Amino acid sequence: YYNGVLRAAEEYMVRTPSDIEEAKTISSIKNIDLSTSIDLRGRPTSTPKNTFTQDEEKIYASVEYKDTPKDTTFEAKWIYLKKDNLIKSYKRNMTGSGNFAFSIDAKTDSWLPIKKWPKGDYRLEIYLNGDLLKEVNFSVK
């Protein structure tokens, strides 16, 4: 105010330490790629994609993370959407920065006798500390 007249206003938000820590956790996941092969560091060696064939036995999810706060729990769920079928889940604690990968394998995780992925739509759900962070949709043709 200047001479009793509002001349400028600025909004602000007060964040608690837990709000700041939660924001750091959410922003720590930098990239999630799906592919059919990875290197020893968990990075894709084939072109990342979201459409696979029934003959591709393994589907990898490669996760890049940076400055993840201590005691962060990462969880992933592979889901076949047509039957809302949980194929496999993966869970780990993570902190700091790096890459890691995890996969589903048609020979061990497919419920079909032919041990191939059924055609259709799938989803990879990513959770941090129990909260859904991201959904990655993909399909098998």
Side-chain angles (χ1 to χ4, degrees):
Y1 286 90
Y2 181 74
N3 290 333
V5 177
L6 179 64
R7 298 288 182 184
E10 187 72 33
E11 289 186 29
Y12 65 94
M13 181 185 298
V14 176
R15 290 188 175 177
T16 66
S18 64
D19 291 338
I20 293 169
E21 198 68 17
E22 182 180 348
K24 281 183 192 177
T25 301
I26 290 169
S27 66
S28 68
I29 301 295
K30 299 300 178 192
N31 205 15
I32 301 170
D33 289 319
L34 301 180
S35 69
T36 55
S37 61
I38 56 165
D39 64 17
L40 294 174
R41 293 182 181 168
R43 296 182 191 142
T45 56
S46 59
T47 303
K49 58 186 179 176
N50 288 71
T51 302
F52 299 87
T53 68
Q54 285 187 295
D55 294 326
E56 292 173 305
E57 186 177 312
K58 285 195 176 198
I59 301 173
Y60 292 93
S62 175
V63 178
E64 178 186 359
Y65 61 101
K66 185 172 180 171
D67 300 328
T68 305
K70 185 178 175 185
D71 298 326
T72 298
T73 302
F74 175 93
E75 185 176 5
K77 295 179 181 180
W78 299 91
I79 299 169
Y80 177 54
L81 295 177
K82 184 174 182 180
K83 295 185 178 184
D84 196 27
N85 183 19
L86 175 64
I87 301 167
K88 188 176 185 178
S89 61
Y90 174 84
K91 191 173 188 176
R92 69 174 277 172
N93 291 326
M94 54 192 274
T95 187
S97 301
N99 285 73
F100 65 91
F102 54 97
S103 66
I104 50 175
D105 185 321
K107 297 230 186 269
T108 58
D109 300 322
S110 175
W111 55 97
L112 294 181
I114 59 171
K115 297 301 179 189
K116 291 189 177 193
W117 297 117
K119 291 180 180 179
D121 295 324
Y122 294 75
R123 176 180 297 136
L124 175 62
E125 296 178 353
I126 304 297
Y127 297 83
L128 289 181
N129 296 334
D131 295 325
L132 181 63
L133 173 69
K134 184 172 185 170
E135 296 176 338
V136 180
N137 292 311
F138 64 101
S139 61
V140 173
K141 304 268 181 190

